Amino acid sequence: MAGPRVVIIGAGVVGAALADELSVRGWTEVTVVDQGPLPATGGSSSHAPGLVFQTNASKALTEMARYTVEKFSALEIDGKPCFLQVGGLEVATTPERLAELQRRHGWVTSWGVEARLVGPEECVQLHPLVNPDRVLGGLLIPTDGLAKAVNAVEAQLKAAEERGVRLLGGHEVLDVLTEDDGEGGERVTAVVTDQGEIAADIVVCCAGIWGPKVARMVGMDLPLTPLAHQLAWTGPVPELAGQTEEAVRPILRHQDADLYYRDSHDRLGIGYYGHRAMPVSVDDIASLDEAEEMPSVLRFTPEDFAPAWTETQSLLPSTREAKVEEGINGLFSFTTDGMPLLGESPEVKGFWVAEAVWVTHSAGVGRAVAEWLVDGHCSSFDLHECDVNRFEPHQLAPEYVLARDCQNFDEVYDILHPLQPAGAPRPLRTSPFHPRQQELGATFLEASGWERPQWYAANEHLLAGREIPVPNDWAAQFWSPIVGAEAQHTREAVAMYDMTALKRLEVTGRGAAAFLQRLVTGNVDKSVGSVTYTLLLDIDGGIRSDVTIARLGRDRFQVGANGNLDLDWFTRHLPADGTVQVRDITAGTCCIGLWGPKAREVLQPLTDADFSNAGLKFFRAKEAYIGSVPVTAMRLSYVGELGWELYTTADMGLKLWDTLWEAGQEHGIIAGGRGAFNSLRLEKGYRSFGADMTYEHDPYEAGVGFAVKKDKEDFIGKDALERRAENVTRRLTCLTIDEPSDVVMGKEPVYDGDRPVGYVTSAAYGHTIGKGIAYAWLPAELATPGQQLTIGYFDRRITAVVTAEPLFDPKMTRLRG
């Protein structure tokens, strides 16, 4: 036996995959425990219909699904397959859905999965039950298919058991025991079952719909809701008569009506998401003894299914001669953002979760978590969207979790725009400037719960005399020509931007400088007033985040971070001796970005402090009074213009806004929104973590190698980064587009001829340079200025050219003036 003592709670597709993947890597002191009988334990895996559609807007989820397909295709148990690779067909019955399938084809091409768009005639050839009068076209993924979930569970558990993993079915988990870890926290020691204790160094909760209940045992809030989803089975369908194989037609998805279909010999399985949301409290899930069929299966409600059956008879006319013979309301896990919950508890060491994972992604998640546990990081997938510690505190509130989980159920097959506003509950977080923004007619979108202006109706007058190109219909959603006017005016005069939504951390203590030096790639142990743009790396040299660190005192630093994962990373690396403290100060503070060539004319008369170029140089900070408002001013600009980030406490925020606004009137000051901000930052080539670069990229690939101080003695990821620097095979590259209406949105495939070679990350129209801008990951050999490529956008190919960056002010004269 080797490795630490691991207890996996839950023997469904995720727990089985994790046990298998851990044991392959040599960790065999593993126990899998489940309250139900193995391999059909009564959870979601036991009733899952098994449809595996790999296409997803998330690159990580698509790659996890692809790995699941590859793994399950190679598995069998007692001669029975674990995957039926019949292909997957999504059909469109409306022009809007047809366009959406073209967009989805772009995603799956970007992520490297074979796919093709097919016409209505081929849709019927592929799936003869389809009514040719209803479909306009389809998307075919030849490698999609049906996962035989229980077979896959049994096959993976058997392989793990043969390597030494212990399997315990019929063991109900009652508690997870912890003890003081000697560093001010707790760590797991054992799992208590109804048949005794199991000692553990690591506990991984793979309990699915019971996940929140298990997580509560260690005081962890898991933002997961079990929701019922309808699955029905027809009686014999005449056109399927005599079908001896279980499935011969592609799995079929009719997302216009929230429906999917699968063969089962001479019958059809029908899944339906169009009914009302039916959330179930984890505490109300029936026990094994109480359940009529199994705990994850609720009684079918035919009245909810009636619209689905009517639509099915229209799309698949042969079903008119059949009837619905049986059905279930099966429980599945939903989360607030539709992504899995993976990672270690922030409070209890050794307690991990792998939750909210469907069969489609199960083997991929098993591999990801196994790598994370054994190697200390995941090398196969970028997990920043999946990390359980990504949530802000308000996103764990029961009311919020229930509302957003139900919304995600309702929208599971909807056509969603990248800027689609979040639903209720809103508003949640408002900056001190919110009343003034409302008075200016702000259109708000949400960012981490914050109401963030996208543009202001009050700036409509700026359109006079300007020609702002109108983007295509898709890009023009949640857009206004005012965005362009605000961007241009920022370059011409001066604008105020609400930067409050960006997370701010305070790092203090006599060990603060040494602590940060260890975590970041740059040198932050400099004079008080210094500001440093730098990176957080993982142990493999991949980028965990980019941050801006200001030294405000000998032992006090302010960190401009990207989100809660940065706070979690800092907290996990705190020294045990108490010499460093990390605090999230976002809610108690606010920030205005005052930027533009006239910014100094607005600011300097309001203060006795010297804001000349010599008085506060680029990337320096000072504390000052702006009128009666105490501020921390940092000479930074994410839009590439002269100016400052001005921070103050939340109680003084409105006064700061009013002071700057009044003083700026004679200089033409405006408030600018996020739409303009994004255009301006792309003109300067400034990266956005989570979009342009993620865990899977290193600094040299991403074009931020300047933030790495190679002569530093040490920092996390340094050794690995030095090895990666020798072999840069891809680069984040600037593309420009001449046609003004050809604005893309991100995640589109990039082609060299007919060969897909990369994908777009961020995009916008550059209102200063008069071109469309798209940043994209490309092979290094194609990242040469002048290289002509095309971008796949719905049913079109848009010509784009690799262009040297930055596109605006390459000599930095505007910033340093």
Side-chain angles (χ1 to χ4, degrees):
M1 307 292 278
R5 298 169 298 178
V6 180
V7 176
I8 298 171
I9 300 174
V13 282
V14 181
L18 178 57
D20 182 40
E21 298 283 345
L22 284 175
S23 61
V24 164
R25 289 163 176 76
W27 279 23
T28 53
E29 198 164 344
V30 177
T31 301
V32 181
V33 58
D34 199 295
Q35 63 182 348
L38 305 179
T41 62
S44 300
S45 302
S46 301
H47 73 257
L51 287 80
V52 175
F53 287 94
Q54 297 167 82
T55 307
N56 198 285
S58 165
K59 182 173 183 282
L61 288 188
T62 297
E63 291 174 339
M64 288 175 179
R66 180 169 54 195
Y67 180 75
T68 301
V69 166
E70 292 169 355
K71 183 175 185 180
F72 284 9
S73 295
L75 288 178
E76 63 173 32
I77 185 74
D78 299 329
K80 298 176 293 185
C82 295
F83 194 75
L84 305 177
Q85 200 158 56
V86 293
L89 178 65
E90 301 184 29
V91 295
T93 59
T94 63
E96 294 78 13
R97 182 64 62 178
L98 186 62
E100 172 72 355
L101 293 188
Q102 293 162 351
R103 187 167 72 114
R104 294 172 67 79
H105 178 256
W107 294 342
V108 78
T109 302
S110 291
W111 313 147
V113 176
E114 178 190 357
R116 63 187 177 93
L117 293 163
V118 296
E121 291 184 2
E122 190 170 357
C123 287
V124 176
Q125 291 172 4
L126 291 164
H127 203 297
L129 273 63
V130 170
N131 184 348
D133 296 330
R134 289 292 312 278
V135 297
L136 303 178
L139 173 63
L140 175 68
I141 313 293
T143 53
D144 284 350
L146 287 165
K148 307 292 290 180
V150 175
N151 289 358
V153 168
E154 187 174 5
Q156 291 177 102
L157 288 179
K158 181 180 179 182
E161 187 176 33
E162 289 172 350
R163 300 185 195 105
V165 171
R166 183 171 58 150
L167 309 179
L168 298 177
H171 283 60
E172 182 182 359
V173 172
L174 303 177
D175 202 2
V176 177
L177 301 183
T178 64
E179 66 179 13
D180 191 314
D181 67 355
E183 298 180 355
E186 293 182 90
R187 70 164 46 256
V188 298
T189 59
V191 171
V192 180
T193 77
D194 57 355
Q195 299 184 48
E197 291 186 14
I198 308 168
D201 303 306
I202 295 170
V203 174
V204 188
C205 176
C206 304
I209 56 176
W210 291 278
K213 185 175 183 179
V214 175
R216 280 204 311 254
M217 295 175 184
V218 296
M220 184 178 183
D221 293 323
L222 210 59
L224 179 159
T225 303
L227 281 114
H229 157 57
Q230 291 198 303
L231 176 65
W233 295 94
T234 70
V237 176
E239 286 193 30
L240 301 182
Q243 180 175 315
T244 57
E245 295 182 59
E246 178 179 348
V248 297
R249 294 163 188 79
I251 54 176
L252 181 66
R253 191 143 58 170
H254 175 29
Q255 291 177 293
D256 280 322
D258 299 301
L259 285 161
Y260 63 76
Y261 304 92
R262 56 153 295 175
D263 290 11
S264 183
H265 301 288
D266 64 347
R267 300 162 191 255
L268 280 179
I270 307 170
Y272 185 44
Y273 286 104
H275 54 80
R276 61 192 168 91
M278 305 179 198
V280 176
S281 168
V282 66
D283 297 312
D284 293 335
I285 299 173
S287 67
L288 284 166
D289 294 336
E290 296 170 340
E292 293 183 16
E293 184 174 343
M294 62 180 78
S296 62
V297 169
L298 306 181
R299 189 172 295 174
F300 188 60
T301 50
E303 64 277 11
D304 291 302
F305 193 75
W309 184 235
T310 300
E311 178 62 22
T312 295
Q313 292 174 309
S314 174
L315 183 72
L316 309 175
S318 61
T319 59
R320 296 169 187 167
E321 299 178 51
K323 62 179 181 179
V324 175
E325 287 199 343
E326 58 181 310
I328 63 170
N329 287 6
L331 295 179
F332 288 94
S333 300
F334 280 79
T335 61
T336 56
D337 57 6
M339 297 298 289
L341 308 173
L342 312 179
E344 188 179 23
S345 160
E347 306 292 341
V348 180
K349 293 178 182 177
F351 185 83
W352 289 66
V353 299
E355 288 289 343
V357 180
W358 293 5
V359 173
T360 300
H361 312 107
S362 58
V365 165
R367 179 175 185 170
V369 176
E371 289 177 350
W372 201 348
L373 287 168
V374 175
D375 302 329
H377 70 99
C378 175
S379 57
S380 294
F381 312 102
D382 164 34
L383 298 182
H384 86 276
E385 295 175 298
C386 305
D387 194 315
V388 70
N389 297 297
R390 64 189 181 269
F391 300 103
E392 296 291 324
H394 74 272
Q395 293 172 322
L396 300 175
E399 178 187 53
Y400 179 94
V401 171
L402 180 61
R404 289 293 170 88
D405 289 359
C406 289
Q407 179 184 343
N408 279 329
F409 177 89
D410 291 338
E411 294 178 346
V412 70
Y413 278 178
D414 286 2
I415 298 171
L416 299 176
H417 192 273
L419 297 178
Q420 190 93 14
R426 280 183 70 190
L428 284 166
R429 308 173 83 181
T430 56
S431 79
F433 321 130
H434 191 252
R436 298 295 182 262
Q437 293 166 344
Q438 288 179 305
E439 292 167 7
L440 293 172
T443 293
F444 293 98
L445 301 182
E446 187 193 52
S448 300
W450 292 98
E451 295 296 317
R452 187 166 67 184
Q454 193 73 2
W455 69 84
Y456 293 87
N459 292 328
E460 188 173 8
H461 70 280
L462 297 175
L463 291 171
R466 302 178 190 270
E467 293 186 8
I468 306 298
V470 178
N472 54 79
D473 290 347
W474 180 252
Q477 294 186 54
F478 311 109
W479 177 87
S480 165
I482 295 171
V483 166
E486 290 176 356
Q488 291 179 356
H489 189 84
T490 302
R491 297 251 187 259
E492 297 162 356
V494 60
M496 294 162 52
Y497 287 85
D498 182 358
M499 304 300 290
T500 303
L502 298 181
K503 184 172 281 291
R504 292 171 291 285
L505 308 177
E506 184 180 69
V507 181
T508 56
R510 58 185 173 85
F515 167 73
L516 290 170
Q517 284 288 87
R518 168 70 177 142
L519 261 62
V520 304
T521 60
N523 176 26
V524 298
D525 194 4
K526 298 183 290 189
S527 63
V528 172
S530 63
V531 182
T532 307
Y533 173 81
T534 186
L535 307 170
L536 304 177
L537 303 185
D538 212 329
I539 59 174
D540 67 337
I543 301 170
R544 283 198 65 94
S545 188
D546 64 336
V547 296
T548 302
I549 300 180
R551 190 169 201 171
L552 303 181
R554 190 174 73 88
D555 298 327
R556 181 167 69 94
F557 297 80
Q558 181 171 309
V559 179
N562 280 301
N564 216 56
L565 289 180
D566 293 347
L567 174 60
D568 181 68
W569 186 253
F570 278 19
T571 303
R572 289 181 188 279
H573 288 87
L574 283 173
D577 60 9
T579 57
V580 183
Q581 297 80 44
V582 176
R583 188 166 65 97
D584 184 350
I585 61 171
T586 310
T589 56
C590 57
C591 178
I592 292 174
L594 180 71
W595 294 314
K598 295 184 179 180
R600 187 174 283 125
E601 296 173 47
V602 174
L603 189 65
Q604 187 60 77
L606 296 173
T607 179
D608 293 334
D610 185 0
F611 277 88
S612 68
N613 194 41
L616 186 61
K617 295 180 179 179
F618 190 52
F619 265 79
R620 296 288 297 180
K622 69 163 57 175
E623 294 180 337
Y625 287 95
I626 305 302
S628 57
V629 181
V631 302
T632 298
M634 298 186 196
R635 179 105 183 259
L636 309 175
S637 174
Y638 206 48
V639 301
E641 292 291 337
L642 168 69
W644 303 267
E645 292 179 358
L646 302 172
Y647 298 88
T648 190
T649 51
D651 61 318
M652 298 296 291
L654 195 58
K655 181 64 175 176
L656 176 62
W657 179 285
D658 289 344
T659 300
L660 294 171
W661 186 258
E662 182 179 351
Q665 292 306 301
E666 63 180 291
H667 303 290
I669 199 167
I670 66 164
R674 189 70 179 185
F677 179 92
N678 194 50
S679 171
L680 295 168
R681 70 101 179 166
L682 285 175
E683 289 183 331
K684 281 298 293 179
Y686 292 148
R687 277 57 170 152
S688 174
F689 179 81
D692 300 316
M693 55 191 186
T694 66
Y695 293 0
E696 63 181 309
H697 306 119
D698 71 46
Y700 303 116
E701 298 171 328
V704 288
F706 64 87
V708 178
K709 300 305 178 187
K710 297 179 182 179
D711 57 351
K712 273 188 69 174
E713 183 174 340
D714 195 21
F715 54 82
I716 293 174
K718 182 182 180 184
D719 291 343
L721 183 60
E722 288 174 351
R723 293 191 295 271
R724 293 176 69 151
E726 300 169 0
N727 187 31
V728 175
T729 60
R730 58 184 175 178
R731 294 192 184 279
L732 183 63
T733 307
C734 178
L735 303 175
T736 55
I737 302 165
D738 285 337
E739 175 55 47
S741 64
D742 286 342
V743 176
V744 300
M745 300 293 292
K747 302 186 178 181
E748 297 89 358
V750 180
Y751 295 88
D752 179 23
D754 290 330
R755 179 173 63 107
V757 292
Y759 59 92
V760 174
T761 58
S762 295
Y765 187 78
H767 293 280
T768 311
I769 66 166
K771 291 179 182 287
I773 306 168
Y775 272 78
W777 281 101
L778 297 175
E781 65 271 17
L782 294 178
T784 304
Q787 175 73 49
Q788 185 166 304
L789 303 164
T790 58
I791 298 172
Y793 191 65
F794 292 92
D795 60 343
R796 302 175 52 225
R797 293 285 186 89
I798 292 173
T799 300
V801 178
V802 175
T803 308
E805 57 173 326
L807 300 170
F808 177 78
D809 190 25
K811 295 184 179 180
M812 307 281 280
T813 56
R814 309 271 290 213
L815 282 165
R816 298 178 184 275

